Amino acid sequence: MNGNPIIEGFVEAIELIITLDPQVVEITIRSLYVSLTATFFAALIALPLGALIYFYEFRGKHAVVSTLQTLYALPTVIVGLIVFLLLSNVGPFGFLRFLYTPGGMIAAQTVLIIPLLMGLTVSALSGIDRDKRYTITALGASRLQTVMTIIAEARFAVMSGVLLGFGRAIAEVGTVMIVGGNIRGATRVLTTAIALNTSMANYSLSIALGIILLAVALGVNIALSLVQRR
Amino acid sequence: MKINATHLAAGIITILLILALCAGCTSPAPGGNETPAGTATTAPAGGGNVLRIATTTSLENTGLLAELERVYEEETGMDLQFIAQGTGQSIDSGRRGDVDLVLVHAPDLEQQFIDDGFGINPRCIAYNYYIIVGPESDPAGIANMTPVEAFRTIYAAGTNETAGVAFVSRGDNSGTHTQEQVLWEQAGYDYDTEILDAGAWYVEAGKGMGDTLILANEQQAYTLSDEGTYLSFADRLDLAPVVAEGAELLNRYSAIAVNPAQHPGVNAEGAADFINWLTTNETKQMIGEFGAEEFGKPLFTPLYAPECTEPPFNCTCTGEVAG
């Protein structure tokens, strides 16, 4: 054991970041690509569904919303396991050959954050003042106009939900490790690279990637507060 | 203010989306999505110029795979993708056809994989030895014992709750874990009934070789490691090789292709080419020199004919294979 791995790690980490180490850059870009794409597809699916749940009254609506809220905490390894079994060569979607590809990781993260985005969309729409809703109707708006106005009013809260979903996606390690396989140059992302390099005792690279991951989280937070400040 | 924030938010989202698209253009294997709204429809990996290899964490952690990958990709342009999983899981990935080739080290599991018709063209590549590593002070006093005696002594000391005696097991069905189970059986214990619940001294890590060494180091416990991973970690560990002699500790690595008759989707041609490359003398020489400079001694000894066909190896290490 020589020196303090934490201090040495930090010094090397800063070097790796400043010199734009190609490996670090590649892993960071892949992480952003996978999680942004997953967030995009999840939003595409979850926002309309969330709006439908909010605007339509149906039996069991409370149960649906409670279920969604429970699934906020959906364990990443369970999603990983299920998507892995679905995408495996002997599974129902094996013919896609998606296992161990970025596509498979995107699919897994999409599944992971859909409940979060749906639930937060419902809450965002519910957050619009009831009085406002009556006022809009009272002013003679058609049903469609009412819906559009409420959605427009809630857009910032919905956007916060989407950013939260992105934060969950980029920070998780369970699904991408199982479904992606952590292949160097193909499916290795920030979180799995940190796990691997820690297990190989390459603490400096782990710390560098950790700093980048935190920076991304910080960026998301700044965006979030900008959105919420309106 | 409201307008500004809106514009800002819109701008950020646009930038993020553009980034996503750019990454999509340059990404080596952009995938699509399960949904009909899927993106790229480029041929998914598993096609002609990608070779997927399930392998063991002990090979990955030494850095040998990265070296092989660099040289092979430079020579052939084939994209090698290593998935480090532990031997048990790797062979299972081969059975399911999720990979094209396995690079593993558990002769019994390998034979079963071949006998069941899932593995073809096995070639042994190289070997080294397992070693029992532990604290320098050797609290169980196993130095200079045979491996089996050492395991018996650790068991006795552990169950007597001798201070400072603990054993960390990989506990992940890997090749090293399989070897450890064989040693316990040879020492006269039933693994499932006598070892697994033997007490607090027996620790199951459930992780790769590097992690397990780090855990054993933190707890100053004994563990069974392959020589390669231990040597590549030695400068960060306060653990010494305690037992390193004994034929029982032989650790042989083999490459086995996945049978395309079982899984037509696999890259059989690529697997055959890679096995042929692995068995060339140039590659074996490279493997035999790997780590010599960095760790003071090579991590692996390549296997050549006719030595490999004789005991204790009993395997095939030459001969062209066809896709």
Side-chain angles (χ1 to χ4, degrees), chain B residues 160-225:
Chain B
N160 285 337
E161 297 182 11
T162 308
V165 174
F167 184 92
V168 180
S169 165
R170 286 281 294 276
D172 63 350
N173 202 19
S174 58
T176 309
H177 187 212
T178 310
Q179 181 66 24
E180 181 208 321
Q181 294 176 20
V182 169
L183 286 171
W184 287 120
E185 302 279 340
Q186 284 176 353
Y189 306 106
D190 185 82
Y191 185 74
D192 292 332
T193 58
E194 288 176 85
I195 300 298
L196 276 184
D197 295 314
W201 66 274
Y202 188 77
V203 180
E204 285 177 89
K207 285 189 157 180
M209 194 67 251
D211 277 323
T212 303
L213 279 169
I214 292 171
L215 176 61
N217 185 51
E218 294 291 331
Q219 303 204 343
Q220 284 295 296
Y222 293 99
T223 191
L224 183 73
S225 172

Side-chain angles (χ1 to χ4, degrees), chain A residues 1 33 36 41 45 84 88-89 93 96-103 106 110 183-186 188 196 199-201, chain B residues 16 20 23 28-29 31-35 37 39 44 52 60-61 69 81 83 85 96-98 210-211 233 235-236 263:
Chain A
M1 298 292 233
Y33 163 63
L36 283 171
F41 284 121
I45 297 163
F84 171 81
S88 170
N89 203 31
F93 296 103
L96 291 170
R97 307 276 310 170
F98 253 17
L99 193 63
Y100 306 138
T101 65
I106 292 169
T110 305
I183 300 169
R184 196 167 73 89
R188 189 163 296 168
L196 174 72
S199 82
M200 291 171 72
Chain B
L16 293 187
N33 191 281
E34 267 190 304
T35 59
T39 37
R52 284 187 190 157
E60 165 112 19
N61 287 1
E69 184 182 344
Q81 302 196 338
I83 302 148
Q85 303 182 307
R96 285 192 313 266
D98 287 332
D211 277 323
F233 275 68
D235 63 329
R236 299 160 216 151
H263 296 291

